[in-house]
Every structure is written in structure tokens, then in C-alpha cells.
Amino acid sequence: MPRTAYARPRRRAGAARGLIPEIAGAYSPEVREGFRTVMRDNRARTFEALRELRAARADLAATEKAEPFDEAAVTKAIAAVRVAVKGDR
């Protein structure tokens, strides 16, 4: 399947774990502990938001490829991606 501008390689969950130390590494131990606490407390919400964003992007990609092209549907799908990015509900 050819890659589109919206296609992204899937990451394994372990890749996300490597990001936290990379981001937090520049801060003091107290700030790092606070960061880890916030991430841990919001884990379910964060992963749900990421799932929703992936789904909105996949829907946009499918809508763009649909025949015949439906501009209104693409506009609606773009709006859904924007909502998922902002986290608006």
C-alpha cells in the first residue's frame, strides 16, 4: 500500500516509554517526578486521545481517496482531525 502524506508508521508502546525520559531528562529530579506523576495519572486519557486522533486521521485519508471525491466529506473529516488535535470534545 503506498504511503500518503497522512500515513504514519505504527509505533510500539515501548517507543512511547522512551520519550518520557528524553523529555524529562533536562529537568531536576523533583520536576521529573512531578512529570511522571502527571503522565501516570493521565495515562488512560492520553492514550484514548491518541486513539481518537489516529482514527480521525485514518478517516480523513479514506475520505480523500473515496470515489467520487466529496469535498464536503473531506472538509468534515479535516474538522474532526482538528478537534482531535485540540482535544475538544
Side-chain angles (χ1 to χ4, degrees):
M1 169 181 267
R3 290 180 55 125
T4 66
Y6 297 100
R8 295 196 174 182
R10 291 192 178 263
R11 287 187 168 176
R12 295 181 181 263
R17 278 186 244 127
L19 184 60
I20 293 172
E22 183 179 332
I23 293 170
Y27 297 99
S28 69
E30 295 82 17
V31 171
R32 287 195 304 257
E33 182 55 36
F35 182 77
R36 281 192 292 271
T37 299
V38 168
M39 292 297 291
R40 191 172 37 250
D41 291 348
N42 292 289
R43 181 182 181 106
R45 195 170 101 194
T46 300
F47 282 108
E48 179 58 28
L50 289 172
R51 279 190 288 275
E52 289 175 10
L53 178 57
R54 280 190 209 106
R57 285 180 172 162
D59 182 54
L60 173 58
T63 304
E64 289 177 323
K65 294 175 185 176
E67 293 290 336
F69 182 78
D70 183 347
E71 184 175 354
V74 171
T75 300
K76 184 178 176 182
I78 290 170
V81 170
R82 287 182 178 147
V83 167
V85 167
K86 290 181 182 179
D88 297 340
R89 307 278 173 228

